Amino acid sequence: MATQKKKKKYIYFFGEGKAEGKASMKDLLGGKGAGLAEMTNLGIRVPPGFTISTEACIAYFGNRGKYPAGMWEDLLTNLNRLEKVMGMTFGDPRTPLLVSVRSGARASMPGMMDTVLNLGLNDQTIQGLILKSGSERFAFDTYRRFITMFGSVVMNVKRDLFEKLLEEKKRMLGAALDTDLRVDALKDLVREYKDMVFSETKTKFPEDPMEQLKMSVNAVFESWFGNRAVTYRKLNNIPDTWGTAVNIVAMVFGNMGETSGTGVAFTRDPNSGERKFFGEFLFNAQGEDVVAGIRTPLPISALAKRLPRAYKDLVFIYKKLEKYYRDMCDIEFTVQEGKLYMLQTRVGKRTAAAAIKMAVDMSREGMIDQKEAVLRIDPAQLDQLLHPTIDGSADLKVVAKGLPASPGAAAGVITFTAEESERMAELGEKVILVRTETSPEDIGGMHAAQGILTARGGMTSHAAVVARGMGKCCVVGCSSLVIDEENKTVRIGDLVLREGAFITLNGSTGEVIIGKVPLVRPKLSKEFKTLMGWVDKIRRLGIRTNADTPHDARVAREFGAEGIGLCRTEHMFFNDERIKAVREMILADQTGGRKKALAKLLPYQKNDFIGIFKEMNGFPVTIRLLDPPLHEFLPHTDAELKALSLDMGVSFEALSQKNKSLHEFNPMLGHRGCRLGITFPEIYEMQVQAIFEAACGLKKEKYRVIPEIMIPLVAHVREFEMMKELVDRIGKEVMDGYKIKVDYRVGTMIELPRAALVADQIAKTAEFFSFGTNDLTQTTFGLSRDDAGKFLPVYIEKNILPQDPFVSIDQDGVGALIRLGVEKGRSARKDLKTGICGEHGGEPLSVEFCHKIGLHYVSCSPYRVPIARLAAARAAILYPKK
Amino acid sequence: MATQKKKKKYIYFFGEGKAEGKASMKDLLGGKGAGLAEMTNLGIRVPPGFTISTEACIAYFGNRGKYPAGMWEDLLTNLNRLEKVMGMTFGDPRTPLLVSVRSGARASMPGMMDTVLNLGLNDQTIQGLILKSGSERFAFDTYRRFITMFGSVVMNVKRDLFEKLLEEKKRMLGAALDTDLRVDALKDLVREYKDMVFSETKTKFPEDPMEQLKMSVNAVFESWFGNRAVTYRKLNNIPDTWGTAVNIVAMVFGNMGETSGTGVAFTRDPNSGERKFFGEFLFNAQGEDVVAGIRTPLPISALAKRLPRAYKDLVFIYKKLEKYYRDMCDIEFTVQEGKLYMLQTRVGKRTAAAAIKMAVDMSREGMIDQKEAVLRIDPAQLDQLLHPTIDGSADLKVVAKGLPASPGAAAGVITFTAEESERMAELGEKVILVRTETSPEDIGGMHAAQGILTARGGMTSHAAVVARGMGKCCVVGCSSLVIDEENKTVRIGDLVLREGAFITLNGSTGEVIIGKVPLVRPKLSKEFKTLMGWVDKIRRLGIRTNADTPHDARVAREFGAEGIGLCRTEHMFFNDERIKAVREMILADQTGGRKKALAKLLPYQKNDFIGIFKEMNGFPVTIRLLDPPLHEFLPHTDAELKALSLDMGVSFEALSQKNKSLHEFNPMLGHRGCRLGITFPEIYEMQVQAIFEAACGLKKEKYRVIPEIMIPLVAHVREFEMMKELVDRIGKEVMDGYKIKVDYRVGTMIELPRAALVADQIAKTAEFFSFGTNDLTQTTFGLSRDDAGKFLPVYIEKNILPQDPFVSIDQDGVGALIRLGVEKGRSARKDLKTGICGEHGGEPLSVEFCHKIGLHYVSCSPYRVPIARLAAARAAILYPKK
């Protein structure tokens, strides 16, 4: 004897001022269903209907495409209830009930089945519609709309085919607008549509309203796993397991003549954020006319003029909704013969600028508090505000698309080499550096360029990382480019561009555009400054920047950085005269020769540090001693080596021999970082001397200098101890010479798994840890970011990795090591200073993670400093404990 | 008012049948001091004396080269006591006490100051010696010996200079032996020696016996940090903090004529282990004459003949000592006028073969039990027994020296390419493959060769690892070789060798020898087999082997392997026809083309597995699916590509393009391991099919086949899950086809830090873990073993790393990850099978570590299987808990 299980509720009714659902049931009813229920409860006029829950959708997929037990019966019961409320009957030829069927997931999701209106029509029920409306034309207009939507959305007939027949009809009859077509023409169209659907699908257009309904519900469910929906979810980190709800709502008609119509509106301006009602309305139309762009909608003021009653209702309702949702709402509505019906409400999307203005305004209006205002801003969105962007009104000729590696936009003439880029920039030309891929030697050229475009490389390739660091627009991995560096041309399909041709890059979309597109440099609003003031009061994490030059340091200070978390000294080695001395140093076989060459570098390095220390007066500056393998400073092709040989007066053979001897199979795991400092201590000695001389000199001028000297790539505690001895020794020598004491710290980058594992040993002598999450991710995953392009995209696509670990910290793996490093480090030194300085320092989820595990600061590129500040504040609100 | 601290005891007296020390106080008294004390306690006749403890030495260095408080006073007290016992007085011209001063650390340590004999002599005290001995000649012989030893050892005058004066004197006087010199000549020598010392050192030879004593004690202390001693300690992992003891012992004289003499002996034969007394004796001589090799010593039987009384005493004593020490002892003694004095005893060094014979014999004699017998054998030493070696009696012309990468010896003619090596080997020629460095393409040629010699690379370079795996003699990093592959010559200094020239390699020393040196293939003794039987009863760890071919599998089984822990499938891809199909597969741009090429490989792989499964009948075989990046299967130089282009009928441009597109910056962290399986599932599908077809076929023939399929380079649990699904799916298809069920397991290699960190997630589906310690070491340290050669030697030399982490598991770092992986893995799956399969699997300390953390097995190259078995047994004895 089976016990009767409590029947699962799959369907939620709304109508007559009462709903079974409410706004907070978004997960179950989807955004649309929850909105309709809530509006009903709020006493707002909404056509009655019911929502099939997301659970039903999930059960449907769990059940190999069958409805869960009882769902269909529930649906029929609710349909019956709807018939009663409406006083009409679904499929009845005299008083036919028509409905709309619309999908609605938790989050608004383009790519899913959208809407079927006027469902329930067939050759019988149309008679009832004619009878009730008294307008045969209206009825057939509605019928042809239904066939179009059902045919295209549910039966997958190309929408074009319907459009073509419609256009043909209009052309033949000389009708300018759809509304000019008369009833006979519409009748013909209905017949022609049905014939066409049959010839396309080999299936008769379903006449049975119940079959229409079932097919539509199935189509909504199935659209959850449609290609575009799946892609969208992947891109937006929406789980497949959420499912979608289905809303079945009694039709109201905007196409019943000039006192009817349909509209969409925002309770505030979604572009600027201004507090003004913003919307559009189309008379004698149904919703899809707005979307399809067949007629141009009128501003919402037209409604106020022509149907003031309905408009007054609308104003009353939108204010009610905004107050209720405590946020800007995006609403849809229909006016049927002068009477307003609300069809949808949800919190509306907005630009970054608008989001900030609204949040600050609403906080001031007393609608939300400052913390909520901060939570309203998506940190990732801020990026939009911080870089120049393409003028939206411009006409664009997009010729290629790569990865959007560093946001913003840039226009300029093509150059193919870093030298040429520098030369032309000196002449005042704006240039775009186009390379197959970039290397550290290109830094100068990258600096000089407005933007960088590469044919290879991923979001974390050299070009991408450096460009982001510079806040410079960059598009990478644009694989359709065929670059011929010798002949100085780049081919894109049939198009061949030469050096000097004008192109524009959109670093936010990855688009490559022919010609010079006007750019807009956004100004930061006063609301932005207000909000960032609140942010800084709330956050616990310090925000520093990764900056290698006084210029970057200044930009970062303007963006609110509280010090430098990573100053890479190797970029200083590439400029002009210096690279010559660096190469002399590399070519010297003896310590003596190296020292001589290093002595030439000393004044340059010292000046670099003076410039940076001045900009960061009063703030700490973490300087990483030389990190990259020496071969990065030598050119690699025979041609370049020959040129260098002439320039340096060293034989080509000797240079080429040196190059070979420095070659590494895995440079990432090679002779770099403190391994250089240990094998060639004179290099680090020079750098430390430069730091202390700069610091001592400035201290005499009353600057507050706080150098933090960072030893890279430590794996074993002895490496750190030896290098700390070196720093302390040279530091003392210089300070004794100047008779000045500088407060300094010596710490290490934790960027190898081993360092995290023995962090307790290292923290005995190290005064700070900076987690180098780029390299730590590479070694923990065994994944070279330069090579990952061949398989990482497949990994993301196949959902093996939820996201690119070079973009957002892999919390399970790399994060576990960081936690361990922090715990072990603090077990040995209670006041150990901890931060991160990888690319992740400016990524909101990673910032949140750093907050949660109690780091002292994050460091990121200058242009991401505001993003990190905001993310840190949000984390402090959401996770207040630590 | 300072309280009086209990005075620290620095000096231990022995004499008159009683000693303050004993054998177990070796750490404090050094090996020599403890032996002298113990012999005294045992009632054996030892000249009295005293030992300055190692603590005094440590305090001396802690004290910047000053004696610790009270030490000198203690020394004087003990000297006084010694004078009383001897009835003589140090420095007294009538009854002068003479002493020897000898160093003695815990472990016998070449490179430290050894011995000063006859200390206390000067122009006054010699009169007493003449008086007492009645022989002026004896006294002056003793005096010239003292000046030589003190001058060279304490005052650092080159020993040659003394020898030269002595030889000159003998030549002038026509004396054949030292003993032929008469007293006047000796007197002259004493004067000449002193003059020479003065002119060399600008210091007068010290006349004051007390000064002589102090200088000698200092010299012993200082020698602890002498270059050779430091180097020796580094090589043998002896800590600097041990310090050395100093022994000051009353002189007995072996140079008092023909009833006197000096000897050394072993209580058993140290070469063969045979139970027979083995020693040498020199009449009328002091100890250093034996060492210096001036006269050839006689076999110990000469003593039995000429001084039977003394010999009888000696026999009585050696038996007593062996019984007391329960081991073969190495003894030193002097006979003074017929009376035997023991000067030293310690457990003696022995060859591996002797060690085994002695251990087994002594256990059978009831002297020690089986466990102790096992503990007596150093696993590392076994290597000697398992490889052919150079005939010690041969005359060697060593022309170069590299790193001893894989032990044993090999002789053959030089070839410069793998192909030539294979070709000549087929013709029956023995060849040595000489390459700048090897790559996986050379495997065939390496297999065919007797030995491998490379100019580049370290102990863990490709050549080294593969050669050790093959049990093949290999010398790497022999930097004095200049190889001209084009002209097929190798230059070593002025010497030029052409292809076909004969050379011999000593893989145990790194020596390269011109010509063909006779080799000795050692047979494994019956004692070896007995001992290994005991070993297998004792050990808890299973021992498997890394083997890729039926031949290797057979060798490993003969050495006692209980299964294969790592069968690398990529080596199977290189042979003959197969590489062509592999290349076709790589060049195919579509899945279809790849499948076609893979279908050609299937029968080969299947046959490989059949051969291996047969050899391992009844034992598990862990097969790793394809691991290396695909570019390893393509040639790299233009010339090779051109040849391949002709051979395959594919354009050079296409090949070269493919090569470029496959290029990786860091192949170690690139597109390899399961990343290949995920992007090209058809490759793994073919391999799994081959495994199951082989297994099903053999099962029909009643073989017991236990395949364990291993997914390489897993970082994220989803990678493993997807690959396990693939294995299960293909496995089921094949088994369904054969209608046979094969017991198989699917597991993963834990070789990336992330895998260890999320081992609990992975163990939910993985049935076994095999820790790939090679790659895990590379990623944990961020250290490419191919590139480490540039700095790792400096790291070892500067004591930054205690040892090469590619040789012995880095227990603090890599070991911590392994522990974590095991713990987390077992938390998710209680019966998770765990093992290691890196190069470390055959290294004794690493095996001990694996035992301690409770792994189920280690896997190593076939020739190291006995070493691993022994190491596992020793670990089980020393750490019985787990």
Side-chain angles (χ1 to χ4, degrees), chain A residues 708-740:
Chain A
E708 300 184 336
I709 296 168
M710 180 152 74
I711 311 301
L713 212 76
V714 164
H716 195 282
V717 60
R718 278 298 296 146
E719 295 176 308
F720 181 76
E721 289 167 354
M722 283 181 71
M723 292 300 100
K724 180 164 193 301
E725 281 161 26
L726 181 152
V727 172
D728 289 341
R729 171 169 54 79
I730 301 287
K732 187 171 183 316
E733 278 172 28
V734 175
M735 292 189 293
D736 286 355
Y738 277 79
K739 294 198 172 68
I740 272 190

Side-chain angles (χ1 to χ4, degrees), chain A residues 420-659:
Chain A
E420 191 59 17
S421 169
E422 288 185 83
R423 201 186 59 79
M424 292 180 70
E426 270 169 32
L427 299 173
E429 193 80 71
K430 297 200 164 181
V431 300
I432 303 287
L433 179 60
V434 180
R435 310 261 311 149
T436 303
E437 56 211 325
T438 63
S439 74
E441 286 178 75
D442 295 328
I443 298 283
M446 292 171 79
H447 247 303
Q450 299 297 308
I452 296 111
L453 171 62
T454 73
R456 287 212 212 144
M459 291 294 282
T460 53
S461 59
H462 178 265
V465 172
V466 172
R468 278 201 292 278
M470 294 177 175
K472 196 148 278 196
C473 167
C474 178
V475 174
V476 299
C478 190
S479 54
S480 62
L481 304 189
V482 182
I483 298 173
D484 180 345
E485 279 166 12
E486 204 149 329
N487 293 309
K488 309 220 164 186
T489 62
V490 51
R491 197 154 51 76
I492 310 168
D494 296 333
L495 183 72
V496 177
L497 298 172
R498 308 195 162 278
E499 192 168 48
F502 238 108
I503 60 172
T504 301
L505 303 181
N506 186 340
S508 309
T509 63
E511 287 168 332
V512 180
I513 301 149
I514 281 288
K516 186 174 180 175
V517 179
L519 301 183
V520 189
R521 174 170 279 283
K523 272 187 229 141
L524 295 176
S525 63
K526 61 181 196 304
E527 284 87 359
F528 176 85
K529 282 166 201 149
T530 304
L531 185 88
M532 294 310 284
W534 299 348
V535 155
D536 289 342
K537 275 190 305 179
I538 294 168
R539 69 185 160 86
R540 189 194 52 69
L541 269 177
I543 310 294
R544 298 196 190 179
T545 191
N546 302 347
D548 311 338
T549 64
H551 171 264
D552 287 355
R554 192 179 322 122
V555 172
R557 281 289 303 127
E558 282 163 10
F559 278 127
E562 303 155 317
I564 290 182
L566 175 62
C567 173
R568 286 163 291 223
T569 51
E570 54 268 23
H571 290 169
M572 304 172 180
F573 277 29
F574 277 103
N575 280 13
D576 323 325
E577 277 305 298
R578 311 179 182 192
I579 186 69
K580 250 180 115 161
V582 172
R583 288 168 175 170
E584 267 175 47
M585 187 265 290
I586 294 172
L587 293 171
D589 276 327
Q590 302 291 330
T591 311
R594 275 193 297 273
K595 282 194 171 166
K596 224 169 104 184
L598 285 164
K600 294 186 196 166
L601 283 170
L602 178 66
Y604 292 117
Q605 284 251 299
K606 184 175 160 182
N607 266 331
D608 292 326
F609 293 134
I610 288 174
I612 289 170
F613 286 148
K614 277 185 174 174
E615 293 294 343
M616 284 288 161
N617 188 12
F619 291 100
V621 176
T622 307
I623 299 166
R624 179 176 73 183
L625 301 184
L626 193 69
D627 182 54
L630 296 182
H631 52 74
E632 284 203 8
F633 299 98
L634 290 184
H636 296 293
T637 68
D638 279 1
E640 289 169 314
L641 281 175
K642 269 173 194 153
L644 183 63
S645 140
L646 288 174
D647 192 40
M648 294 193 65
V650 176
S651 82
F652 171 73
E653 285 69 30
L655 278 178
S656 159
Q657 188 52 45
K658 191 75 194 180
N659 232 356

Side-chain angles (χ1 to χ4, degrees), chain A residues 255-470:
Chain A
N255 58 337
M256 289 184 82
E258 290 305 311
T259 57
S260 300
T262 187
V264 297
F266 296 86
T267 61
R268 302 191 181 205
D269 186 329
N271 289 308
S272 68
E274 265 184 276
R275 193 182 183 182
K276 69 169 190 213
F277 191 48
F278 180 93
E280 295 178 322
F281 193 79
L282 203 52
F283 288 92
N284 194 17
Q286 284 198 338
E288 85 273 21
D289 295 343
V290 183
V291 181
I294 296 167
R295 284 180 286 153
T296 309
L298 305 169
I300 196 72
S301 54
L303 184 64
K305 238 181 262 165
R306 285 166 52 183
L307 297 171
R309 218 23 211 280
Y311 183 75
K312 217 184 115 195
D313 283 357
L314 183 63
V315 169
F316 178 79
I317 287 168
Y318 98 68
K319 289 189 172 162
K320 191 167 185 169
L321 285 174
E322 187 176 275
K323 206 168 156 195
Y324 181 78
Y325 281 95
R326 296 162 46 253
D327 204 347
M328 181 265 270
C329 293
D330 164 0
I331 54 181
E332 291 180 24
F333 51 93
T334 280
V335 178
Q336 178 178 322
E337 298 183 311
K339 199 165 176 184
L340 176 73
Y341 294 89
M342 299 303 294
L343 299 184
Q344 177 167 317
T345 186
R346 61 182 173 196
V347 170
K349 298 209 163 146
R350 62 206 74 183
T351 63
I356 291 169
K357 175 151 179 54
M358 286 179 198
V360 171
D361 284 354
M362 286 179 187
S363 175
R364 284 180 172 153
E365 290 159 24
M367 206 184 277
I368 56 177
D369 65 13
Q370 289 183 359
K371 284 185 179 175
E372 176 134 18
V374 167
L375 289 177
R376 286 279 167 91
I377 317 300
D378 175 4
Q381 224 188 354
L382 275 195
D383 229 16
Q384 286 180 21
L385 298 181
L386 306 171
H387 296 277
T389 51
I390 289 190
D391 183 350
S393 63
D395 196 25
L396 306 180
K397 194 177 163 201
V398 176
V399 291
K401 199 160 175 201
L403 298 171
S406 181
V413 296
I414 294 176
T415 62
F416 292 98
T417 65
E419 296 75 46
E420 191 59 17
S421 169
E422 288 185 83
R423 201 186 59 79
M424 292 180 70
E426 270 169 32
L427 299 173
E429 193 80 71
K430 297 200 164 181
V431 300
I432 303 287
L433 179 60
V434 180
R435 310 261 311 149
T436 303
E437 56 211 325
T438 63
S439 74
E441 286 178 75
D442 295 328
I443 298 283
M446 292 171 79
H447 247 303
Q450 299 297 308
I452 296 111
L453 171 62
T454 73
R456 287 212 212 144
M459 291 294 282
T460 53
S461 59
H462 178 265
V465 172
V466 172
R468 278 201 292 278
M470 294 177 175

